Each structure stands twice: as C-alpha cells, then as structure tokens.
C-alpha cells in the first residue's frame, strides 16, 4: 500500500514526498512572498527579460572572438561552456530557489526553440534568398547529433516511465538515483563527443559545399578576430556578470509575473525564457543560411541543442545532487512526449540532406503548435516540486 502523498489534478501527476516538498517550499517562502501579483512584478520581469536579450547576443560575440585565439578544440570547449551560459545561469538561480520545474522546462524549451524555431528560421530565410535551388549540408555530422538527441529522449523517458508506472524499488528514491546515474553517463558521452568532433574526426564536420574554398580571400577576412584576447576575456566576464544579476531578478519574479500577466509558469519557462537565451543562435543561424553556409547554421542550432541536452541538463542534475536539491530527469509525460515528437520531426526533415523555405516554414509552424500547447498547459507543480 503506497503512502498517501498524492494530489488530485486534471492530469495524472504525482508530487514529491510531503517532507521534501515542504523543505523546498520553506526555502522558497521569501521568493513567493516577494512575487506578489502586482503590475510592478510584471514590469520587473519584462525589463529583466528585455535586458538579457542584447547581453546574450554580445556574450556570443565575445565567445566567438575568444575562440579565434584558442584553436578548434579550445573553441569547442568555449562554445560548450559559454554558448548556453544564459540558460545555465537562469537554471542555477532557479535550482537554488527550489524551482526545479522551471529548470526542467526552460532547458526543454531551449532545445525545442533551437530545433524548431532557430533551425526553421534558418531554413526559411536561406530558402528565400536561394529560392532557385535546394541548399545542401553534410548529413554525416547531422546524423551524429541526431543520435545524441535520441539518446537524450531515452535518458529522460526511463525515469518518467519508472515514476508513472509506480515500479520503483525504493519509493521516491529509485527514479532520482537513476537520473543521477544517467546524468553521469551523459556527461561522459558529451566529453567523448567533444574529443570525437574536435580531435579524431574533424573531417566529419567539413562543409559539403566546397564553394568556400573558391572564396579563400573572403574566408580569411571573415576569420580574423576583431578584438584582442584580453578584450574578449574582459567583455566575457562583464556580460556574464550582468546576465547573472538580471537572471536573479528574472527568476525571482517568474511566479509573480505569471499571476499578474495571467500566463502560466510553464509557458514562461518553455517559450519566453528560451527565446531570450537563444537570441545569439537565432541571429547567427539565419545569417549563415543566407550566405549559403548551411553546415554552420546546423552547427549553431543542432549543436546548441546537443550541448543543452547532453551537457547542461545533466550538469544541473549533478549540481542539484551536490546542493541537496532533488533535480532529476523526470520531465513529466507532457514535456517528454513533446520533446520526442519534436526531435522525430527534425530528424525526418534532415534525412535528405537538403533544405528549402518550405521545410523551414514547416518547422516554424510546428513550433507555433508547441507554443500554443504550452500556453494552454497547466503544470500542477506551478514551478516547484
């Protein structure tokens, strides 16, 4: 006979044990009280969101400039660390305040935004500029990233299935232990992938369009850094500091903004926050697609999704483990199903190795379907476990 710590809700949803939930609620008591449903809270959230947008774009620029001085391997590690630093900072603040569902949903939303919106806009704009032909890209590199994304789906599916089938050996602990074990496996896999990508199989990621070789002068000019190494480091530290400050305001006002604006926390976490965090990837992917450098656009969008799914998500689980927070890979059934369908649509779209404006439009419309679904989706946890 299972203990009676379930709550009734419109959809099947099981909460954490009462003692664990009370601890998180007590830790976030000051946060909830400061997030009263007032217009001022909504304005603080709005301006924090607005302020992070240009900072995230400039952070991407500083990271790109610093990568010129570190070589391909160092550049890859820099992109892995700072490419999604906005999402990581927001997640750390939310995790500190016990808002585990905000962490899960914002990271999920970042993957969905990169796969559907960013990639869709890149395909659409590139297809409009080069409407007379289908753009081509290297399928070999895409297949590797697609495999990692499917591994992500598998990794978050098993904890959810174990949880909702009530088949845990240790009630409330088996799913968390499995999540932490899988997260360690994912981090090892991602580290191996970096070696595979930047060391042993660099040629796998060479662009299939060799027209770049015919424009060596343009490529050399574009490949020169615009600022010095120390300037890049200083700007990187400066932008990271300000993003950290604004992220704290953002996280502290999510609950109040949700109530004052009458928008669900899940919609804010899955749709609004990732769009801000992905502004750099969005601009870069569209720019390279219009220059007919689709392999770079795919590296930005698919590569960023791979970073979040294989590095940032398991990193947050391990960080929560160290901090004593029950962060796990159980993203709940609705979110898990959404991620699976989105990745499946993208994999099918990329299997031919070509892109055009119609494929881009299809991905954008799929993202609108996801956005509408989360706008009408009510998460019983309301941001907390």
């Amino acid at each position: 006979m299972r203990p009676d710590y379930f709550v009734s809700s419109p959809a099947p949803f099981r909460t954490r044990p009462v003692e664990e939930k009370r601890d998180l609620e007590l830790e976030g008591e000051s946060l909830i009280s400061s997030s009263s449903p007032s217009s001022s809270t909504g304005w603080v959230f709005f301006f924090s969101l607005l302020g992070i947008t240009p900072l995230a774009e400039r952070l991407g620029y500083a990271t790109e400039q610093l990568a010129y001085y570190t070589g391909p391997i160092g550049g890859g590690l820099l992109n892995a660390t700072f490419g999604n630093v906005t999402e990581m900072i927001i997640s750390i603040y939310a995790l500190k305040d016990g808002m585990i569902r905000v962490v899960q949903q914002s990271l999920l939303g970042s993957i969905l935004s990169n796969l559907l919106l960013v990639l869709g806009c890149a395909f659409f704009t590139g297809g409009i500029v080069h409407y007379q032909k289908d753009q081509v890209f290297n399928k070999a590199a895409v297949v590797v990233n697609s495999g990692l994304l499917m591994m992500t789906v598998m990794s978050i599916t098993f904890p959810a299935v174990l949880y909702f089938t009530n088949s845990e050996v240790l009630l409330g602990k088996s799913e968390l232990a499995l999540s932490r074990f899988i997260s360690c496996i994912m981090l090892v896999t991602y580290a191996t992938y970096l070696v595979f990508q930047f060391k042993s199989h660099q040629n796998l990621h060479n662009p299939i369009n060799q027209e770049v070789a015919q424009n060596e002068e343009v490529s050399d000019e574009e490949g020169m850094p615009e600022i010095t190494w120390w300037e890049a480091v200083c700007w990187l530290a400066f932008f990271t500091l300000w993003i950290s400050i604004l992220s704290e305001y953002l996280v502290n006002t999510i609950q109040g903004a949700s109530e004052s604006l009458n928008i669900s926390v899940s919609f804010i976490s899955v749709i609004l926050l990732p769009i801000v965090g992905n502004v750099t990837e969005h601009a870069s992917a569209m720019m390279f697609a219009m220059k007919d450098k689709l392999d770079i656009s795919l590296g930005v969008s698919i590569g960023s999704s791979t970073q979040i799914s294989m590095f940032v998500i398991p990193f947050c689980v391990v960080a929560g483990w160290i901090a004593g927070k029950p962060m796990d890979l159980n993203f709940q059934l609705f979110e898990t199903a959404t991620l699976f369908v989105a990745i499946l649509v993208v994999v099918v779209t990329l299997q031919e190795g070509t892109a055009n404006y119609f494929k881009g439009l299809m991905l954008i419309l799929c993202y609108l379907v996801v956005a509408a679904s989360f706008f009408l989706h009510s998460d019983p946890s309301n941001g907390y476990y």
Side-chain angles (χ1 to χ4, degrees), residues 220-384:
D220 292 339
E221 184 178 343
E222 291 179 352
M224 295 295 294
E226 299 176 4
I227 58 178
T228 65
W229 187 87
W230 277 111
E231 288 175 335
V233 171
C234 291
W235 281 117
L236 201 64
F238 175 78
F239 292 134
T240 303
L241 175 63
W242 275 104
I243 288 176
S244 176
I245 294 173
L246 291 179
S247 295
E248 185 172 13
Y249 281 105
L250 192 70
V251 171
N252 288 345
T253 54
I254 284 179
Q255 191 72 34
S258 171
E259 297 173 3
S260 62
L261 300 176
N262 198 24
I263 300 176
S264 66
V265 174
S266 61
F267 181 79
I268 292 176
S269 302
V270 178
I271 304 301
L272 296 184
L273 295 183
I275 289 179
V276 172
N278 292 335
V279 64
T280 304
E281 290 90 340
H282 210 136
S284 299
M286 292 175 62
M287 178 187 68
F288 286 118
M290 289 188 289
K291 292 181 179 179
D292 201 18
K293 298 180 180 180
L294 209 57
D295 287 286
I296 302 179
S297 295
L298 284 165
V300 170
S301 57
I302 303 294
S304 182
S305 298
T306 304
Q307 289 175 12
I308 295 170
S309 60
M310 297 299 295
F311 174 70
V312 180
I313 289 178
F315 170 81
C316 289
V317 173
V318 174
W321 187 5
I322 296 173
K325 305 290 184 180
M327 171 70 185
D328 57 24
L329 296 176
N330 177 13
F331 280 41
Q332 305 301 325
L333 295 180
F334 186 84
E335 288 82 355
T336 302
T338 302
L339 180 62
F340 173 72
V341 173
I343 290 179
L344 187 62
V345 168
V346 172
V347 169
V348 172
T349 303
L350 299 177
Q351 66 180 351
E352 292 181 350
T354 61
N356 50 57
Y357 72 89
F358 179 73
K359 288 184 177 180
L361 180 62
M362 181 181 66
L363 292 176
I364 294 173
L365 295 178
C366 287
Y367 186 76
L368 292 179
V369 172
V370 171
S373 300
F374 276 97
F375 184 78
L376 298 175
H377 173 62
S378 177
D379 190 0
S381 65
N382 205 25
Y384 296 84

Side-chain angles (χ1 to χ4, degrees), residues 3-292:
D4 185 20
Y5 54 80
F6 300 92
V7 295
S8 59
S9 61
F13 180 87
R14 198 177 81 193
T15 62
R16 295 279 178 187
V18 173
E19 296 80 4
E20 200 171 86
K21 183 179 178 184
R22 278 178 185 160
D23 292 339
L24 289 175
E25 288 177 344
L26 287 174
E27 292 176 9
E29 184 177 348
S30 60
L31 171 67
I32 298 175
S33 61
S34 64
S35 300
S36 58
S38 62
S39 58
S40 60
T41 304
W43 282 112
V44 170
F45 175 82
F46 173 77
F47 283 115
S48 299
L49 200 66
L50 193 65
I52 287 178
T53 304
L55 291 174
E57 191 278 330
R58 288 290 86 189
L59 182 71
Y61 170 78
T63 305
E64 178 186 342
Q65 293 298 308
L66 189 60
Y68 284 118
Y69 299 96
T70 59
I73 298 179
L77 292 175
L78 275 175
N79 286 324
T81 305
F82 290 100
N84 295 298
V85 71
T86 305
E87 290 89 341
M88 290 186 68
I89 292 175
I90 293 175
S91 298
I92 289 172
Y93 276 114
L95 189 62
K96 178 176 67 72
D97 291 324
M99 304 178 71
I100 296 177
R101 289 295 290 154
V102 171
V103 177
Q104 293 177 331
Q105 291 177 335
S106 63
L107 295 178
L108 170 74
S110 188
I111 298 175
L112 296 174
S113 175
N114 276 304
L115 290 179
L116 299 177
L117 185 61
V118 174
L119 186 60
C121 288
F123 279 7
F124 183 77
T125 54
I128 293 295
V129 173
H130 304 279
Y131 66 91
Q132 70 277 10
K133 66 173 184 179
D134 276 357
Q135 294 179 289
V136 295
F137 54 84
N138 187 355
K139 288 196 297 184
V142 172
V143 168
V144 175
N145 283 278
S146 299
L148 291 174
L149 290 173
M150 292 303 297
M151 181 179 178
T152 301
V153 173
M154 184 185 73
S155 299
I156 71 173
T157 297
F158 284 117
V161 171
L162 182 67
Y163 186 77
F164 283 99
T165 56
N166 298 329
S167 58
E168 298 173 78
V169 175
L170 298 174
L171 187 63
K173 296 182 179 180
S174 297
E175 166 235 335
L176 185 59
L178 177 62
S179 298
R180 290 168 175 172
F181 173 77
I182 293 176
S183 295
C184 294
I185 297 295
M186 294 171 72
L187 289 174
V188 172
T189 302
Y190 186 72
T192 308
Y193 167 69
L194 289 179
V195 176
F196 175 83
Q197 181 181 13
F198 297 107
K199 190 73 174 178
S200 64
H201 287 71
Q202 295 184 36
N203 60 330
L204 185 68
H205 297 81
N206 289 338
I208 194 172
N209 189 351
Q210 295 301 324
E211 293 178 2
V212 178
Q214 301 175 5
N215 300 311
E216 292 182 357
E217 297 181 359
V218 177
S219 299
D220 292 339
E221 184 178 343
E222 291 179 352
M224 295 295 294
E226 299 176 4
I227 58 178
T228 65
W229 187 87
W230 277 111
E231 288 175 335
V233 171
C234 291
W235 281 117
L236 201 64
F238 175 78
F239 292 134
T240 303
L241 175 63
W242 275 104
I243 288 176
S244 176
I245 294 173
L246 291 179
S247 295
E248 185 172 13
Y249 281 105
L250 192 70
V251 171
N252 288 345
T253 54
I254 284 179
Q255 191 72 34
S258 171
E259 297 173 3
S260 62
L261 300 176
N262 198 24
I263 300 176
S264 66
V265 174
S266 61
F267 181 79
I268 292 176
S269 302
V270 178
I271 304 301
L272 296 184
L273 295 183
I275 289 179
V276 172
N278 292 335
V279 64
T280 304
E281 290 90 340
H282 210 136
S284 299
M286 292 175 62
M287 178 187 68
F288 286 118
M290 289 188 289
K291 292 181 179 179
D292 201 18

